[in-house]
Amino acid sequence: MPNMAIKHVAITSRRALTKCAKIGHTTVSVSRSLRKLTPTAFKTLRQAIAKVGHLGIMGQKIRLSDRELAANKVIMAVKKEEISKGILDPSQFTPGQHIFKTLTEVQKSPIFNLIKGMPKGGVLHAHDTALCSTEYLISLTYRENLWICTAEEGCKAIAFRFSKEKPTQKPVEDCIWEPMEEFRERRGEKNVAKYLTRRFSMYPFSKFVSNNQAWAHFMGIFILLDGLLCHAPIWADYYYNALKEFAEDGVQYLELRSLLPPLYCIDGDMLTTRDTVAIYNSELERFKADHPDFIGSKLIYAPLRGVEPSVVEQYVKTAVELNKEFPSFMVGFDLVGQEELGRPLIDFVEPLLKMPEHINFYFHAGETNWFGSPIDENLVDAILLGTKRIGHGYALTKHSMMMRLAKLLDIAIEVCPVSNQVLQLGVDYRNHPAALLLAANVPIVISSDDPSFWRCAPLSHDFYFAFLGIAPMKADLRFLKSLATNSIRYSALGGEEKRVAYQKWQEKWDKWIDDVVAQKYC
Amino acid sequence: MPNMAIKHVAITSRRALTKCAKIGHTTVSVSRSLRKLTPTAFKTLRQAIAKVGHLGIMGQKIRLSDRELAANKVIMAVKKEEISKGILDPSQFTPGQHIFKTLTEVQKSPIFNLIKGMPKGGVLHAHDTALCSTEYLISLTYRENLWICTAEEGCKAIAFRFSKEKPTQKPVEDCIWEPMEEFRERRGEKNVAKYLTRRFSMYPFSKFVSNNQAWAHFMGIFILLDGLLCHAPIWADYYYNALKEFAEDGVQYLELRSLLPPLYCIDGDMLTTRDTVAIYNSELERFKADHPDFIGSKLIYAPLRGVEPSVVEQYVKTAVELNKEFPSFMVGFDLVGQEELGRPLIDFVEPLLKMPEHINFYFHAGETNWFGSPIDENLVDAILLGTKRIGHGYALTKHSMMMRLAKLLDIAIEVCPVSNQVLQLGVDYRNHPAALLLAANVPIVISSDDPSFWRCAPLSHDFYFAFLGIAPMKADLRFLKSLATNSIRYSALGGEEKRVAYQKWQEKWDKWIDDVVAQKYC
């Protein structure tokens, strides 16, 4: 459509100019300008062009119902106010700043509250142990039989472990195991809560000297949480609670990437990878029984990328086995870890080509701002390997051919705004490359990656920044609706599953629209 | 070409898949992946795609001579080293940081020195009183008959004025005029030099709370310099010196935007706008006589945009008159000032359409990161009004139709990397949107805007960040050469002038290539 429009404008402009050249009083050299038009004609043409440009933006062609149009008025009035304030004083505009400095401010925003209530569909990009709120993590440290290993004279938490007896293995030489309740008594309950709140997230570091340093800190949280979460019953509870928190934030579906670590039992015995999936699967069934309006959850097996190709060969075999046993749950494959430090996909092409067609790839690719690096080239390999979606794709806009292929092949980009900011790819959301994906109508979904580590809502903060910071000012309910429906459209749900999913989402959507019209959020 | 390639890949991939479906041992559902290819076939296809993608990038199709190929090897070896260091420790990579923190570091860079020596063609976007080095500005404060008006008990410089007698008019109520030599004596020469060095630039403020605040500070420098530079003989010397400093930085041509302020004489008499142009013109002739290898300079009349449409009507008349008297020198028109606070172009369409065809527009447009604002829409009006180039166009990539029109109509974007950073549009050069213009092969030129205010070389710093931070890692001599030739190709030079320009540039280019091959810069 925009393509057609460009051609049309070019032709119109050429015709107008030829005419001008003929009717001009003096000899007019034929130029590319439209200066011989009357101001009225100019403005008409200009409006037409602006309109066509606008319609090319993702979601703008959606037709809203009368109720939705009424809700849209409410939403846009609130949005306009927030933008106007921002233009008057950009230093107060939250999408121009780091989330760690604006978290409280954002939670007071009327737009944020509207978005919090909105049924947002599914989260298609999130990692196993970075889902739940800090409060929930701290509540887990009150569970029975938990030990903590501390260093630096009992001040620095190094690891956790559930055990009847004092654990025998030390994660580092000079750390000392003690029961969690003793640690809490010794340091004071409030101090411990404050300390763990910091250690379980990236706060207060809004500025790292580089994204490498940010990643090191980030990986440190995963490591610290390991002993706390990889205990089988906790793993089960953590996932159930994640589904609960996500549902409360207006998320009805979760496509989870997991390393699928073998879990440990209280007596130290280890379970298998298969058991980890089985635990997920049975918790999901339990959750769905308790919450019939929830759509569901699926699993993407996503082990670490910093390995030898032979290990990926093993990954592929594991994926095939797991999919065989859990065909409608364990449905996809990815590789995780900092792309810059791991290996590029091209190193693993041989084993990856052995993956059967029915197990989809959902590769991380292009999570970098190094233009022309091997990480950029992961975009090429991901697309050629037939990835169904691209995780992050932050660098995609720098590769116009890959961007057009993504559009042509209907590959959705999983955009994770807050994650990109915290992991130091960029600060100001108004410069986020996803704006260009919207403008070029490349399909995107909005995800939260690791909301636990930035103390954000499961999805609302990412939607908020996408709506207020990344999308054009005029982006409205059409945009929000297309983000929600995209998250179902580009999910791994099968045909009949999708039909049910849309239905469950639509019910909540209609209710929310009514609430918005009734000014329930204002 | 990339378009063709995409279609080709899509067809190839479809064919391969159909074939797979037929020959597969089990029933293979036709998918979009290429998983049935052998790893070797996959890698061949992948290389072809990467190659086509790469060739689509600006400048990559240039054929280099043998000498140039040899020079390219030297350049790329140095570049590779600088990039490798950056990847190992991104905190030390200068394009990831603010220029005010890395100025000294950059000047030590081997790549910077290579670029400093390179004949870079012309600067097509720079403003009248923001051209010369701080050292030169300070030297001007030693001229005879200069007065300074200070406030805050003689501590804060408010204005300058050349006058035989004490000036009678005060710029603000509570400032006091004193002869510059007395001020210098009272405060101490070193202190004054240090103080003025700060006041004549944006240093040390690498972070403003908003771009509005940055702009306020920025406009403050122009205002402070007003009385110092708008004295007729100084205006002449300043321009001559600018041409000299630009030539020494490898710039052979300057297309200057000027407000064309009426200048004052020592007795307080005022000259006319026409006189300002006449002074420029005669200084240019003097400079060209002294420097026969210099290509030249042209003028774009660029008055302030924050005015009523009736004032623009007057601007247009002035432009026509000036162009009549200086037809080969005063050749273009633009409007300047912060786009957010000024009026959008659409307000001025009526008077602007009256501009005769032979006076070109070179509009500032889209110097913002507010997506969907009226400033973005300046891009539409600029293009429809037939602008020959776009000043900044920072927001262009968010408007895919406008971006394609710019490419189709061969409108070059004047990219000013350092200016965008200092005026708070973005910090990390690796996120600068010009990368996407390169990737989409939209023509660009690199300019410096106001190098005086960031204490940068007339053009070398902007080239350095474009080469190392914005362009893909593999960008090489082809990229640098196309930037240089673009600056002539998209200039306002006429046909024969262009021929001479290329010739003068080529002579210097060949010499530089020889020097690079001879490792003169390493």
Side-chain angles (χ1 to χ4, degrees), chain A residues 120-262:
Chain A
K120 291 174 277 290
V123 163
L124 304 188
H125 187 121
H127 295 277
D128 45 14
T129 56
L131 306 170
C132 290
S133 62
T134 310
E135 294 68 37
Y136 180 73
L137 283 176
I138 290 180
S139 80
L140 289 180
T141 66
Y142 285 85
R143 297 281 179 102
E144 247 185 319
N145 299 317
L146 182 62
W147 295 72
I148 184 167
C149 205
T150 56
E152 294 175 13
E153 295 177 357
C155 286
K156 190 180 176 187
I158 301 292
F160 296 94
R161 182 86 185 177
F162 286 93
S163 178
K164 296 266 189 204
E165 309 291 325
K166 186 177 191 161
T168 47
Q169 284 195 334
K170 286 184 176 184
V172 294
E173 188 63 50
D174 62 345
C175 82
I176 295 161
W177 284 111
E178 67 183 313
M180 188 64 199
E181 53 263 38
E182 277 177 29
F183 174 75
R184 205 179 320 264
E185 208 159 292
R186 184 163 61 75
R187 301 280 314 271
E189 186 169 15
K190 267 197 185 165
N191 292 337
V192 168
K194 206 172 149 190
Y195 173 71
L196 292 181
T197 297
R198 181 166 68 73
R199 289 296 308 279
F200 288 161
S201 79
M202 301 284 282
Y203 285 74
F205 304 104
S206 61
K207 181 81 194 121
F208 289 90
V209 295
S210 71
N211 65 331
N212 285 0
Q213 202 201 40
W215 265 89
H217 191 92
F218 177 64
M219 297 309 286
I221 308 174
F222 280 109
I223 292 164
L224 177 65
L225 289 174
D226 216 46
L228 181 66
L229 302 181
C230 289
H231 179 41
I234 300 288
W235 190 264
D237 289 357
Y238 183 90
Y239 177 58
Y240 188 96
N241 182 73
L243 297 179
K244 190 165 150 279
E245 288 188 13
F246 275 59
E248 282 163 6
D249 194 45
V251 176
Q252 291 171 275
Y253 176 72
L254 171 62
E255 217 151 275
L256 187 69
R257 279 165 169 89
S258 178
L259 294 173
L260 297 180

Side-chain angles (χ1 to χ4, degrees), chain B residues 146-442:
Chain B
L146 182 62
W147 294 72
I148 184 168
C149 205
T150 57
E152 293 175 14
E153 296 176 358
C155 286
K156 191 179 176 188
I158 301 293
F160 296 94
R161 181 87 184 177
F162 285 94
S163 178
K164 294 270 189 202
E165 308 291 324
K166 186 174 191 164
T168 46
Q169 285 195 334
K170 286 182 178 188
V172 296
E173 188 63 51
D174 62 345
C175 81
I176 294 162
W177 284 111
E178 66 182 313
M180 188 62 201
E181 53 264 38
E182 275 176 31
F183 174 75
R184 205 179 321 263
E185 208 159 293
R186 186 163 59 76
R187 303 278 312 272
E189 186 169 14
K190 267 195 185 165
N191 291 338
V192 168
K194 206 173 149 190
Y195 174 70
L196 292 181
T197 298
R198 180 166 69 72
R199 291 296 308 279
F200 289 161
S201 80
M202 301 284 283
Y203 285 75
F205 303 104
S206 60
K207 181 82 193 120
F208 289 90
V209 296
S210 71
N211 64 332
N212 284 1
Q213 202 201 38
W215 266 88
H217 190 90
F218 177 61
M219 296 309 286
I221 307 174
F222 281 109
I223 292 164
L224 178 64
L225 287 175
D226 217 45
L228 181 65
L229 302 182
C230 289
H231 179 41
I234 301 287
W235 190 264
D237 288 357
Y238 183 89
Y239 178 58
Y240 188 96
N241 182 73
L243 297 180
K244 191 166 149 278
E245 288 188 13
F246 275 59
E248 282 164 5
D249 194 45
V251 176
Q252 291 171 274
Y253 176 74
L254 171 62
E255 218 153 274
L256 187 69
R257 280 166 167 89
S258 176
L259 295 173
L260 297 181
L263 307 174
Y264 69 93
C265 304
I266 194 74
D267 57 6
D269 280 359
M270 297 300 289
L271 301 181
T272 65
T273 298
R274 182 252 160 223
D275 296 327
T276 309
V277 182
I279 287 172
Y280 271 141
N281 200 38
S282 73
E283 286 304 305
L284 173 63
E285 291 313 317
R286 189 162 75 87
F287 187 83
K288 282 174 73 178
D290 297 347
H291 304 81
D293 52 356
F294 193 71
I295 294 169
S297 178
K298 289 188 189 284
L299 184 68
I300 297 167
Y301 176 37
L304 293 169
R305 70 186 317 130
V307 297
E308 293 297 309
S310 60
V311 179
V312 174
E313 180 111 29
Q314 189 51 53
Y315 288 165
V316 171
K317 281 184 191 152
T318 305
V320 171
E321 283 163 24
L322 294 173
N323 171 265
K324 210 167 183 179
E325 186 171 354
F326 305 95
S328 69
F329 181 58
M330 205 316 283
V331 295
F333 185 80
D334 184 15
L335 290 164
V336 301
Q338 188 181 359
E339 281 185 78
E340 265 109 348
L341 304 185
R343 277 162 168 268
L345 283 178
I346 189 79
D347 286 6
F348 305 130
V349 157
E350 211 158 326
L352 289 175
L353 284 173
K354 293 184 185 158
M355 186 72 81
E357 289 280 351
H358 67 283
I359 298 177
N360 286 326
F361 289 134
Y362 299 97
F363 286 123
H364 277 74
E367 188 183 1
T368 186
N369 51 20
W370 286 104
F371 185 11
S373 64
I375 296 93
D376 279 26
E377 298 194 357
N378 278 341
L379 289 165
V380 180
D381 291 305
I383 291 174
L384 288 190
L385 283 165
T387 200
K388 291 282 171 180
R389 300 191 303 262
I390 291 173
H392 293 291
Y394 192 87
L396 182 66
T397 55
K398 288 175 180 165
H399 300 272
S400 52
M401 187 162 71
M402 290 305 116
M403 189 158 120
R404 289 157 113 180
L405 272 178
K407 189 175 171 177
L408 187 71
L409 299 171
D410 206 26
I411 297 168
I413 315 306
E414 301 162 354
V415 176
C416 306
V418 179
S419 168
N420 297 154
Q421 188 191 52
V422 175
L423 293 174
Q424 309 286 308
L425 287 179
V427 175
D428 197 320
Y429 289 105
R430 287 169 299 174
N431 286 334
H432 195 287
L436 287 51
L437 299 176
L438 293 176
N441 210 355
V442 175

Side-chain angles (χ1 to χ4, degrees), chain A residues 82 104-114 464 468:
Chain A
E82 209 149 326
T104 322
E105 202 54 43
V106 168
Q107 264 140 2
K108 284 187 253 164
S109 148
I111 282 286
F112 181 77
N113 283 310
L114 272 163
Y464 171 81
L468 205 62

Side-chain angles (χ1 to χ4, degrees), chain A residues 162-402:
Chain A
F162 286 93
S163 178
K164 296 266 189 204
E165 309 291 325
K166 186 177 191 161
T168 47
Q169 284 195 334
K170 286 184 176 184
V172 294
E173 188 63 50
D174 62 345
C175 82
I176 295 161
W177 284 111
E178 67 183 313
M180 188 64 199
E181 53 263 38
E182 277 177 29
F183 174 75
R184 205 179 320 264
E185 208 159 292
R186 184 163 61 75
R187 301 280 314 271
E189 186 169 15
K190 267 197 185 165
N191 292 337
V192 168
K194 206 172 149 190
Y195 173 71
L196 292 181
T197 297
R198 181 166 68 73
R199 289 296 308 279
F200 288 161
S201 79
M202 301 284 282
Y203 285 74
F205 304 104
S206 61
K207 181 81 194 121
F208 289 90
V209 295
S210 71
N211 65 331
N212 285 0
Q213 202 201 40
W215 265 89
H217 191 92
F218 177 64
M219 297 309 286
I221 308 174
F222 280 109
I223 292 164
L224 177 65
L225 289 174
D226 216 46
L228 181 66
L229 302 181
C230 289
H231 179 41
I234 300 288
W235 190 264
D237 289 357
Y238 183 90
Y239 177 58
Y240 188 96
N241 182 73
L243 297 179
K244 190 165 150 279
E245 288 188 13
F246 275 59
E248 282 163 6
D249 194 45
V251 176
Q252 291 171 275
Y253 176 72
L254 171 62
E255 217 151 275
L256 187 69
R257 279 165 169 89
S258 178
L259 294 173
L260 297 180
L263 306 173
Y264 70 93
C265 303
I266 195 75
D267 56 7
D269 279 359
M270 297 300 289
L271 302 180
T272 65
T273 297
R274 182 251 161 226
D275 295 326
T276 308
V277 182
I279 288 173
Y280 270 141
N281 200 38
S282 74
E283 285 305 304
L284 173 63
E285 291 313 316
R286 188 163 74 88
F287 187 83
K288 281 173 73 177
D290 298 346
H291 304 82
D293 52 357
F294 194 70
I295 295 169
S297 178
K298 288 189 190 281
L299 185 67
I300 297 167
Y301 176 36
L304 293 169
R305 68 185 320 129
V307 297
E308 292 297 310
S310 60
V311 179
V312 174
E313 181 109 31
Q314 190 50 54
Y315 288 165
V316 170
K317 281 183 192 154
T318 305
V320 171
E321 283 163 23
L322 294 172
N323 171 266
K324 210 166 183 179
E325 188 171 353
F326 306 95
S328 70
F329 181 59
M330 204 316 282
V331 294
F333 185 79
D334 185 14
L335 290 164
V336 301
Q338 187 181 358
E339 280 185 79
E340 265 108 350
L341 304 185
R343 278 162 168 267
L345 284 178
I346 188 78
D347 286 5
F348 304 130
V349 158
E350 210 156 327
L352 290 174
L353 284 172
K354 293 183 185 158
M355 186 72 82
E357 289 280 352
H358 66 283
I359 298 178
N360 286 327
F361 290 135
Y362 299 96
F363 286 124
H364 277 74
E367 189 183 0
T368 186
N369 51 20
W370 286 104
F371 185 11
S373 64
I375 296 94
D376 278 26
E377 297 194 358
N378 278 341
L379 289 164
V380 181
D381 291 306
I383 291 174
L384 288 189
L385 283 165
T387 198
K388 291 281 171 181
R389 299 191 304 262
I390 291 172
H392 294 291
Y394 192 86
L396 182 65
T397 56
K398 288 176 181 165
H399 299 272
S400 53
M401 186 161 72
M402 290 304 116

